[in-house]
Amino acid sequence: MTTKVAAYPFQIQSFEQYKIVYEESIKYPEKFWATVATNFQWKKPWDKVLEWNFKEPKVEWFQGAELNITENCLDRHLEKLGDKPAIIWEPNNPNESIRTFTYTQLFQQVCLFAQVLQNNGVKKGDRVCIYMGMIPELTIAILACARIGAIHSVIFGGFSAQSIADRVNDAQSTFVITCDGAFRGGKDIALKAVIDEALNENQFVKKIIVYSRTKISVSMKNGRDVWWDNEMKIATDQFKKKETNYFPAATMDAEDPLFILYTSGSTGKPKGVVHTCAGYMVWVTYTFVNVFQYQPKQIHFCTADIGWVTGHSYIIYGPLCAGATSLMFEGIPTWPNAGRFWDIIDKHQVNIFYTAPTAIRSLMGFGLEPLKEKNLSSLKILGTVGEPINEEAWHWYDENIGKKKCPIVDTWWQTETGGTMISNMAGITPSKPSWATLPMPGVELLLVDENGKEVSEKDEHGMLKGNLCIKSPWPGMLRTTYGDHERCRKNYFSTYENLYFTGDGALKDENGFFRITGRVDDVLNVSGHRIGTAEVENAINRHLGVVESAVVGYPHEIKGQGIYAFVVYNGNQLNEKETRNDIVLVVNKIIGSFAKPNKIQFVLGLPKTRSGKIMRRILRKIAMGEVENLGDISTLLEPSVVAAIAKGRI
Ligand code: WT7
């Protein structure tokens, strides 16, 4: 993106400029974002740039404007970038052919599939659940939803039938798009069968569109289930008859929902985070272009799964709105061997590589052997996301992958923030190992103590330490949690008055750089996947023999955090090994295998206050091995249980 506006360049060019732009963006947010927004294609301009209060909360950006995000991702690039690859797809099996979609080809597929959706009765505002593997059709399905104004709700392929059922019901999704199966490493995962199980009792889903990827046999329910390929043929014929390959993009209000994405919180039920059309588009594009300093011919490879927000924002919407080439990978980093990412980088001459610290740590574990004969000289910029990166992993990444020539951007953000909030800008603003550093323009951060008072006392290293809050709205922020606005208010806007609370703790150094220290609530971060402790407990408690359980995180060398479950078991004949296996199976079934506990300790009772609240603080310390220094336990109902738990620690 090269469009420049006199006052604020769309792409910041120097640290000096960052400082000026940042200050202006905070002083005059409406003027600033109005200028940024001129870099997009609108069907109708806005009447008012911003209206907000964090009390309700109510946040509206570009009020009165009309647009369609797919015209910004596709149509507007056709003239100049029509033949440029939009999506390059690398299959799970390196011997299978790659697939490339130029902007023109992607546009045509999206138009056709939008027609398919319309033919099947999908209308603007309908919720469409998408449960597919990492194939180009996933991107096509998402964009086709956006084109007709249907709200997509993508569910990560690792979720179980039960989790899908909860999400489909919560969003009242009436359509599902899925695949027969998905290839991931050496495994074939049967997606359609999981959908069938999830929808066993569902009466509201009208159509399921199935793309055939793995060619395993699936059951197709007459009248409900249709094949992607057949439907595409019908749409192609319709287009031929009409002598067109164009499907008009629905006119969307700036604040119409674009998608729902479920994420875990500190309560048992996942929340449907809602993002809207205009603000999200502006935010992800602006942050993509600035953080990665994208240059016109570069190939961007984000290794995330599109089932998580990183994939939504930095495989699809951000890169495509910016006219970039985005590489999409179906497989996993360790298959057929631990050199797979590096092979992909060389094969496609990747310039920007964006991955998670857990992936880096896991690949570090294989030593330097998988890097032999890998060139990696195409790389210009590296990035990390999802969890704090430890210095050791940062340096390994810098030395062995970036060869000390590539800036590393450490991007802090959340499903709720839509896009990056704190990060250095590659080669433009300074980096500091394991520090996310400075806020994006428009992001006003505040560190507060438990009472919501701004922290002002520095610790012995000259750092401020507190809970990370955001003072004012940014375009990409969540607007609500689907179907339950009060929940959104309670979760994010009620802990501290007039502030958005992130749930993270942070440090701030003398330069104003931020370092995220991790969650301060009951949310775990396992291999970059966000998991609520209450969700895992609810699942464990579904095991018939379990009376109650408490789940905490503990430091894990590769995953960042591991899951430690303390379980009170009912009955005298406990076969620990068998029961552990059974509990793991239950968690697999209720949530998905990525949420299974790494350690399960059977205990006779949990440490509780007199009012019955589980003292997680104590359990966390035990799980971390700090059994000597458990703090004050005198307020416990039965202080004696603590010693027993500490003794039985695994
Ligand atoms: C939580 C959000 C952002 C997309 C992927 C995760 C942690 C995220 C960083 C980072 C330290 C990070 C935070 C945050 N987190 N990025 N660069 N440094 N911590 O999205 O599932 O919504 O999780 O991930 O704890 O709150 P998510």
Side-chain angles (χ1 to χ4, degrees), residues 397-560:
Y397 198 31
D398 183 38
E399 282 157 29
N400 298 295
I401 309 306
K403 319 270 184 193
K404 294 200 152 228
K405 283 191 302 224
C406 303
I408 300 177
V409 292
D410 179 350
T411 63
W412 175 85
W413 56 294
Q414 310 179 297
T415 304
E416 294 84 347
T417 71
T420 297
M421 301 293 279
I422 310 179
S423 174
N424 49 318
M425 293 180 180
I428 300 290
T429 69
S431 68
K432 180 171 173 182
S434 85
W435 286 67
T437 73
L438 294 168
M440 289 293 111
V443 175
E444 240 184 321
L445 303 170
L446 193 71
L447 292 180
V448 301
D449 63 18
E450 286 103 82
N451 305 315
K453 216 178 131 258
E454 181 167 5
V455 293
S456 53
E457 250 172 68
K458 295 188 174 159
D459 68 7
E460 66 272 27
H461 308 289
M463 312 258 186
L464 292 168
K465 185 176 180 188
N467 292 342
L468 181 64
C469 293
I470 303 165
K471 259 161 92 168
S472 58
W474 63 100
M477 73 186 292
L478 87 163
R479 299 300 195 265
T480 189
T481 46
Y482 192 79
D484 195 348
H485 194 61
E486 173 58 12
R487 195 164 174 216
C488 172
R489 189 192 67 78
K490 263 212 186 112
N491 245 293
Y492 306 104
F493 300 91
S494 74
T495 317
Y496 307 116
E497 206 179 329
N498 283 324
L499 294 173
Y500 167 87
F501 177 41
T502 64
D504 279 323
L507 299 172
K508 184 178 177 181
D509 74 4
E510 68 283 3
N511 297 317
F513 289 9
F514 286 84
R515 174 187 191 144
I516 309 302
T517 49
R519 304 289 303 195
V520 295
D521 55 7
D522 291 327
V523 172
L524 305 179
N525 189 328
V526 179
S527 301
H529 295 324
R530 187 159 144 189
I531 303 168
T533 51
E535 250 175 283
V536 182
E537 288 163 8
N538 287 350
I540 293 175
N541 297 348
R542 296 276 284 270
H543 185 293
L544 286 178
V546 171
V547 179
E548 61 176 342
S549 61
V551 163
V552 298
Y554 69 95
H556 187 287
E557 210 177 313
I558 289 176
K559 295 167 188 268

